[in-house]
Amino acid sequence: MAAAVQPGDPARIGAYVVRGRLGAGGQGVVYLAQAPGGRPVAVKVLRAADEEAAALLRREAEVLPRMAAFCTAQVLEVGAAGAEPYVVSEFIEGPTLQQAVAARGPLRGRELHRLAVGTATALAAIHRAGVVHRDFKPGNVLLSPEGPRVIDFGIARPVGDAGAGDEVAGTPPYMAPEQFRPGAGAAADVFAWGATMVFAASGAPPFGAGPLPALVHRILRAEPDLGGLDGDLRELVAACLAKDPARRPAAREVLLRLLGRTPSAVSDPLAAGSAAARAGGPAPEGTARLAAPIKAGGKARG
């Protein structure tokens, strides 16, 4: 459920009536709102409407329409309320992976495999759309009843200029070694996917937390702690966490390995992956049947 509005929150944003808060961060606030026809939507509003922050919001609005509907919340409108720009997107009920693990502990067995397939499918689709997310992490994986959705593309980049500029961006426990210098590409998302799967299975990222210098040292030099992972998934995640980005599998290969297929055996792995990640109904031939949708407490996200 959404949290209550706070003093100073707007009653309306453009044509949308604010009903509650879905989340807040350094960039701004995400509100649960009601569209004129009654539909619930998520509205992300910047806290500080400086040009850099506005550019991040515009980039998110430009990137999201490239994604398949099963990957993320879809953008409905981009606007401005006075000097504050906002993006309206589809509202999706469900906790984040971070919230779900905090509420009831790590995932196991078929439930973990279902999450792995669904998130790998989304990541492969994101990369096929020509986008590098750059901040894939448990807090940006939304567990909807229809399967995982990847959210928050505020620092995403097109593949061709993922290393443009000189900023270092991301969430440190889930950042690849190359993200601590300019020039990281799609392989950094694969590393972050592997780190996220470790968190899902153990409740902690593979290199721990704590002071940034020590964390960065472990990411650059230490072997990951793969926690509760075992079997083929453990082997796959270990490959995704390779220090050298050239040694990591591409997102499409990750998905195919999860499906137990070779590249020549599947004409469209995204279709197979999205079908396997949906609850109910038979899984495509050669894939595992997956558990029912993850249900847990926590705030809804859009």
Side-chain angles (χ1 to χ4, degrees):
M1 297 294 292
V5 294
Q6 298 182 9
D9 283 340
R12 299 180 69 93
I13 302 168
Y16 304 93
V17 179
V18 174
R19 298 301 188 192
R21 276 186 171 222
L22 296 173
Q27 291 182 19
V29 182
V30 182
Y31 295 101
L32 174 64
Q34 185 176 329
R39 176 184 181 181
V41 295
V43 184
K44 183 176 183 178
V45 182
L46 293 184
R47 283 188 192 279
D50 58 60
E51 183 52 38
E52 181 180 358
L56 290 174
L57 197 66
R58 287 196 300 270
R59 183 180 301 119
E60 184 169 11
E62 291 165 0
V63 163
L64 284 171
R66 303 185 192 188
M67 305 300 144
F70 66 82
C71 292
T72 189
Q74 298 299 291
V75 169
L76 305 175
E77 181 185 336
V78 179
E84 297 181 328
Y86 64 83
V87 171
V88 182
S89 62
E90 173 189 16
F91 172 71
I92 301 170
E93 188 83 40
T96 66
L97 175 60
Q98 186 90 34
Q99 292 167 337
V101 171
R104 62 181 185 86
L107 280 59
R108 294 284 185 267
R110 290 154 62 102
E111 193 173 38
L112 179 61
H113 187 261
R114 176 179 181 269
L115 174 75
V117 171
T119 51
T121 302
L123 190 58
I126 289 165
H127 289 175
R128 190 166 78 171
V131 173
V132 180
H133 188 281
R134 303 205 306 162
D135 198 20
F136 193 102
K137 61 182 179 181
N140 284 339
V141 174
L142 183 65
L143 303 179
S144 81
E146 292 77 32
R149 305 278 188 101
V150 179
I151 59 174
D152 198 349
F153 287 75
I155 62 171
R157 291 283 192 278
V159 168
D161 68 343
D166 59 357
E167 87 265 34
V168 174
T171 301
Y174 301 93
M175 288 170 66
E178 66 271 20
Q179 278 185 279
F180 294 100
R181 57 184 183 271
D189 284 350
V190 173
F191 186 98
W193 177 87
T196 297
M197 292 306 101
V198 172
F199 173 85
S202 65
F207 299 97
L212 184 59
L215 175 59
V216 173
H217 177 78
R218 291 193 296 270
I219 291 172
L220 294 176
R221 305 294 181 194
E223 291 301 310
D225 180 353
L226 300 182
L229 291 172
D230 56 17
D232 292 343
L233 183 56
R234 184 182 182 93
E235 181 181 336
L236 176 58
V237 167
C240 293
L241 294 174
K243 306 296 186 190
D244 181 356
R247 295 181 57 197
R248 296 175 208 143
R252 182 179 185 274
E253 182 183 345
V254 170
L255 175 57
L256 288 171
R257 287 175 63 174
L258 287 167
L259 296 176
R261 299 294 190 90
T262 61
S264 60
V266 180
S267 59
D268 188 353
L270 296 186
S274 61
R278 289 194 298 267
E285 182 180 352
T287 68
R289 286 187 64 90
L290 302 171
I294 299 165
K295 294 181 179 178
K299 296 179 182 178
R301 291 287 302 274

